[in-house]
Amino acid sequence: EKMTEIDFCRHMLYSSNLTNKKKEKMIQMVSKKFGKGKGLGISFDSFKTFYHVLFGGADLERAMFFLDNDGQGVNRAEFTKIAQWVSSQDIDPHVVDVIYTLLDEDGNETLSLTEFNPVLFQWRHSRGFQKGSLSCITWII
């Protein structure tokens, strides 16, 4: 069974610090392209693979920074190569298409770090990668 592209995007934006209005605008872009039976859906394996990409956040961020020489962002092919390098897995091109539809605000078919930040950095914070988020465990003997 697969989840819809819209549900996938809602999940990706869940803990972002974007306003609800901004999130809904982004979801509407995805809905236009993939809603009402137009989408293929996102399989659990594809979902999990994309999370492996997010787990490699610092490497992903550095690679996007170095490939973005002219400040225009990275295209889908470059992003796919980066994602495969970071996760050591093949990433579903459909997931890349959905992510670009969600995050490419200016419609130039590239993603900059600024456009990718709502997902990457807020996801890391929501997963407990903030400074001081680790708690100390005390064993009582």
Side-chain angles (χ1 to χ4, degrees), residues 23-99:
K23 288 178 188 179
E24 284 306 313
K25 182 181 175 191
M26 295 168 80
I27 295 295
Q28 285 300 325
M29 291 172 27
V30 174
S31 183
K32 248 187 232 181
K33 187 169 182 177
F34 300 107
K36 296 184 182 178
K38 296 183 216 170
L40 303 172
I42 307 287
S43 71
F44 177 71
D45 287 336
S46 295
F47 178 85
K48 190 170 73 171
T49 299
F50 192 72
Y51 267 83
H52 284 276
V53 173
L54 293 177
F55 277 128
D59 291 333
L60 180 66
E61 181 182 2
R62 275 192 292 274
M64 286 181 73
F65 175 80
F66 285 114
L67 279 177
D68 189 13
N69 295 330
D70 56 2
Q72 298 297 314
V74 295
N75 63 35
R76 292 171 199 242
E78 291 169 330
F79 183 83
T80 300
K81 285 180 189 176
I82 293 168
Q84 289 174 341
W85 174 74
V86 167
S87 67
S88 300
Q89 299 180 33
D90 290 334
I91 188 165
D92 184 351
H94 180 63
V95 171
V96 173
D97 191 28
V98 172
I99 290 296

Side-chain angles (χ1 to χ4, degrees), residues 8 27 59 88 90 103 112 114 123-125 129 132 136-137:
F8 174 74
I27 295 295
D59 291 333
S88 300
D90 290 334
L103 299 175
S112 66
T114 305
W123 178 84
R124 277 195 276 183
H125 290 303
F129 290 108
C136 208
I137 300 174

Side-chain angles (χ1 to χ4, degrees), residues 13-30:
L13 294 175
Y14 178 75
S15 62
S16 73
N17 62 356
L18 299 170
T19 65
N20 286 339
K21 185 177 180 180
K22 176 74 172 170
K23 288 178 188 179
E24 284 306 313
K25 182 181 175 191
M26 295 168 80
I27 295 295
Q28 285 300 325
M29 291 172 27
V30 174

